[in-house]
Amino acid sequence: FTLEADRLWEAEAGVQSQQLQKGFTGRLRDAQCTLAEDGQQIRQQLELSGNEDAADQAVSVLVHMGISTPHLRRAAERAGALGDARWKLNPVIYAWSFSLALP
């Protein structure tokens, strides 16, 4: 059961990653919106915030690792892309089962 759940989650993660990367240039400024006014407002807010580069970095980490946290963003800044950081159910269940078997 857990192997199948992990396989399905991994397949869905691949689909989501492809969707996130479709047409993505690496800059939120270039993102397209269904409503042009939304895109304009988002770009204005990004520019006014002064955090456009940080937002671009957070999205990049999310796209490449499947998760984005402050710690992972700092690690990616220092080391470059780190790969998939999603957890898997199967090892968790095995570890839990093994811990129950110990006296």
Side-chain angles (χ1 to χ4, degrees), residues 48-59:
L48 290 173
S49 74
N51 292 318
E52 189 170 352
D53 289 338
D56 286 343
Q57 175 66 14
V59 172

Side-chain angles (χ1 to χ4, degrees), residues 11-39:
E12 178 61 25
V15 169
Q16 290 176 6
S17 181
Q18 285 178 344
Q19 289 172 339
L20 283 170
Q21 292 180 56
K22 186 178 179 182
F24 184 60
T25 66
R27 306 252 332 153
L28 290 174
R29 173 173 296 286
D30 299 331
Q32 297 182 9
C33 296
T34 304
L35 298 174
E37 311 86 57
D38 287 346

